[in-house]
Amino acid sequence: MRYAKYLYVQLKRTMKLAVGVFPTAMLLFACLGIAAYFLLMQGPLTGQQQKYRIGVVGSVDETYLGFGIAAIQTLDSSRLMVDFIPMEEEEAKEAFREGDLVAYINVPAEFLDSIVYGRNDVPITYVASESGQGIQGYLMEELAALVSRLVTSAQGSIYAMQEMVYTHGDTSNIWEWTDELNLQLIEYVLGRTRLVELEELGLSKGLLLRQYYFCAILLFFCFLFGITSASFFLKRNVSLGKWMKLRGIGPVGQVLCEYLVYFAMMLVCVLVPFCALGAVTHGFSFLKMRVYLSDLVLCLVPIVLMASAFHFVIYETVRNPVANLLLQFLGVIGMGYVSGYIYPASFFPDGIAAIGKVLPTGVALDAFSGAMLLEKRTTAFWLELLYFVAFLGIATFARKRLIEKEG
């Protein structure tokens, strides 16, 4: 009966504090959501959805080279990645300096004759930034090297065929055979995507970019929630533990009663905006995959159980408010970074990635990504329960030491 009364008192206290905690938590959720939107829709992570613009300088419209560029822009699969834009040289330089072009190429008037007659003595000038512009510059360099190999290999095969005919055969049909071989080579190049089967494995853990960062941002909210609920812990009466023990409620009972009401408050503050977001977006349609809200909610319960115990043990062991909040913020950011919340864990060395996977943040990410993919990851579930028990055990021990110190 006394435990029920203590639990009821804590519940009433929490209801009063929730008036300030809930709006703060919703503000944190909104800020993380806005940050995720600009990151995925407007930020640097949208680079893979943009086509690379390359300027083409030179008289290419009235030559076979212009026909080849037009064919690439309409028939080849590279049209989904690259736009070739004819322009004057000064215009190309200005656009390149302003960042509108990844690179530009200057095609001399004698270039095509040099290729046709096999001299290869008139090079195309390829202009790119010395800094390489990160992944864009790397891709463009690889594309330039690939095109060079395709042109020289095709040229070599045609001249090899002609040399063979001149040496051992009848040359009356040599130009017809040359045209036929050219068409076959063009067909091979345009149909090269049929040589492989494309399977999109995702960024990490089988999830695509927006799906992965949806999990990461939501879990960041769960682990940072402890900062918004500082009033729940910092306004407690330090001497209350001693008086409750005198009335028959020991450290275990105190910790469990206080933790249960905090867990309930955090669960509500997490599920309300989460379910509201699901309703507004018609079942998280922006994720481009079918997800089940009930499965995600069930997965969030043990995650919140572990995260709330994590907050509880920090507040119980670190009594200084400034040190406590600083430790929570830096601790969550650090664990989230190592666990792949900012960069996927595959970016890190194997040793660091292994550490990040077994941290509370890594376990939560593994469990929630499994729920997104409709996979049961029992190891993550048991690790969540293990962390929950460990955190509450440490909190109980800290409460016992505090009561003994007060006594």
Side-chain angles (χ1 to χ4, degrees), residues 89-109:
E89 184 170 5
E90 291 302 319
E91 182 184 3
K93 289 181 179 179
E94 182 65 23
F96 179 69
R97 283 194 294 265
E98 294 179 354
D100 293 334
L101 298 178
V102 175
Y104 72 89
I105 57 177
N106 193 332
V107 184

Side-chain angles (χ1 to χ4, degrees), residues 24-43 210 213-222 224 273-274 277 281 284 286-287:
T24 307
M26 297 307 100
L27 179 62
L28 175 62
F29 188 90
C31 291
L32 290 175
I34 293 172
Y37 173 80
F38 282 103
L39 179 70
L40 297 174
M41 303 300 178
Q42 307 292 334
R210 64 179 60 193
Y213 279 103
F214 169 74
C215 296
I217 293 296
L218 179 63
L219 296 177
F220 249 139
F221 171 70
C222 291
L224 288 173
F274 178 73
L277 179 63
T281 58
F284 305 106
F286 62 92
L287 295 177

Side-chain angles (χ1 to χ4, degrees), residues 35 43 63 67 69 76-77 124 146 151 157 206 277-278 287-288 309 349 378 396:
T63 65
F67 171 76
I69 293 176
D76 191 58
S77 59
I124 288 179
L146 175 62
V151 170
S157 63
L277 179 63
L287 295 177
K288 306 299 182 182
T378 55
T396 302

Side-chain angles (χ1 to χ4, degrees), residues 306-307 309-313 360 386-396:
M306 175 182 65
F310 170 73
H311 304 151
F312 199 95
V313 73
L386 180 62
Y387 273 120
F388 162 71
V389 173
F391 289 150
L392 284 193
I394 297 172
T396 302

Side-chain angles (χ1 to χ4, degrees), residues 219 221-227 229 232-233 236 255-256 258-270 300-316 328 332 335 360 364 384 387-393 395:
L219 296 177
F221 171 70
C222 291
F223 283 97
L224 288 173
F225 178 83
I227 298 176
S229 57
F232 177 87
F233 296 97
R236 293 179 299 180
V255 168
L256 285 179
E258 294 174 20
Y259 169 76
L260 285 176
V261 293
Y262 175 67
F263 165 71
M265 181 181 70
M266 179 177 172
L267 188 63
V268 171
C269 291
V270 170
L300 276 175
V301 172
I303 292 176
V304 173
L305 197 73
M306 175 182 65
S308 57
F310 170 73
H311 304 151
F312 199 95
V313 73
I314 291 180
Y315 277 109
E316 197 64 36
Q328 282 200 71
V332 170
M335 290 194 305
E384 288 170 346
Y387 273 120
F388 162 71
V389 173
F391 289 150
L392 284 193

Side-chain angles (χ1 to χ4, degrees), residues 305-368:
L305 197 73
M306 175 182 65
S308 57
F310 170 73
H311 304 151
F312 199 95
V313 73
I314 291 180
Y315 277 109
E316 197 64 36
T317 54
V318 182
R319 293 283 173 166
N320 184 285
V322 176
N324 189 300
L325 297 178
L326 187 61
L327 175 63
Q328 282 200 71
F329 180 77
L330 295 179
V332 170
I333 295 298
M335 290 194 305
Y337 180 79
V338 175
S339 298
Y341 284 25
I342 300 175
Y343 294 103
S346 56
F347 280 51
F348 300 108
D350 293 340
I352 296 179
I355 294 173
K357 188 175 181 180
V358 298
L359 290 174
T361 46
V363 172
L365 182 59
D366 189 30
F368 197 72

